[in-house]
């Protein structure tokens, strides 16, 4: 839950996230870098990632498609509150300024505090823990690996 359409369009991201987060939810993605600023609302995060009418966001301006794969969450429930830990593997596809394809991969963990509401469980606080980020330039279609990889001596 809380994922988007992965193809560079805002679509119903904010509306979908409203089914996952409480209206006053706080998201802490500061470990991902200065572009994410301080702790933000899910509305603010959607604008940072997807942009606004006058400017592209970090995702929509850098990548033409992406996919976020979530592991099974480990959840501890105590009454009407819960804590969850969910692994995230994300892959992003884009093009450099000179048009060559590249991929960004990252391995992260979501740490969530949830609360039971009249509409069901919702995330009240989310912290993103980043374990690694790898950027890899990829081959253009039709290119061969020969000549690009050094020969073993």
């Amino acid at each position: 839950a809380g994922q988007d359409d992965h193809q560079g369009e805002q679509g119903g991201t904010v509306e979908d996230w409203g089914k996952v987060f409480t209206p006053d939810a706080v998201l802490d993605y500061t470990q991902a870098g200065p572009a994410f600023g301080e702790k933000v609302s899910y509305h603010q995060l959607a604008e940072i990632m997807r942009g606004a009418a006058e400017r592209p966001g970090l995702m929509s301006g850098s990548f033409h498609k992406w996919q976020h794969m979530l592991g099974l969450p480990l959840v501890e429930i105590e009454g009407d509150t819960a804590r969850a830990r969910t692994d995230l593997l994300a892959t992003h596809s884009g093009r450099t300024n000179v048009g060559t394809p590249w991929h960004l991969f990252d391995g992260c963990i979501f740490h969530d505090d949830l609360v039971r509401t009249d509409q069901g469980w919702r995330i009240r606080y989310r912290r993103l823990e980043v374990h690694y980020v790898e950027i890899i330039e990829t081959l253009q279609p039709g290119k061969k690996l020969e000549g690009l990889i050094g020969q073993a001596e």
Side-chain angles (χ1 to χ4, degrees):
Q3 292 300 298
D4 51 32
D5 66 10
H6 313 295
Q7 302 305 319
E9 301 277 335
Q10 176 85 7
T13 301
V14 173
E15 293 79 15
D16 289 344
W17 284 4
K19 300 172 189 169
V20 175
F21 297 102
T22 62
D24 61 345
V26 174
L27 288 74
D28 179 357
Y29 281 45
T30 54
Q31 196 183 30
F36 292 92
E38 298 299 317
K39 297 173 184 175
V40 297
S41 71
Y42 70 89
H43 292 274
Q44 291 168 312
L45 183 64
E47 186 172 323
I48 291 167
M49 300 295 277
R50 294 310 190 88
E54 66 279 359
R55 63 165 182 73
L58 292 176
M59 297 288 285
S60 61
S62 302
F63 309 110
H64 59 271
K65 55 186 166 183
W66 54 85
Q67 184 172 13
H68 298 147
M69 295 158 280
L70 300 174
L72 295 173
L74 175 62
V75 181
E76 295 177 15
I77 299 173
E78 188 173 315
D80 289 335
T81 63
R83 290 183 171 250
R85 176 194 183 278
T86 308
D87 292 333
L88 163 68
L89 176 63
T91 177
H92 311 82
S93 179
R95 295 212 173 266
T96 66
N97 292 338
V98 295
T100 57
W102 63 288
H103 281 82
L104 182 143
F105 298 91
D106 53 56
C108 305
I109 298 174
F110 286 127
H111 298 276
D112 297 326
D113 293 340
L114 298 97
V115 61
R116 189 188 320 257
T117 71
D118 292 340
Q119 295 77 38
W121 289 97
R122 298 290 187 269
I123 299 169
R124 181 183 300 173
Y125 179 82
R126 166 168 279 179
R127 179 175 61 86
L128 177 70
E129 178 183 355
V130 178
H131 284 272
Y132 66 88
V133 176
E134 297 286 337
I135 299 172
I136 303 167
E137 188 173 4
T138 59
L139 293 175
Q140 291 182 354
K143 277 197 170 182
K144 298 187 187 249
L145 284 175
E146 294 82 18
L148 296 176
I149 299 176
Q151 300 295 320
E153 297 185 23

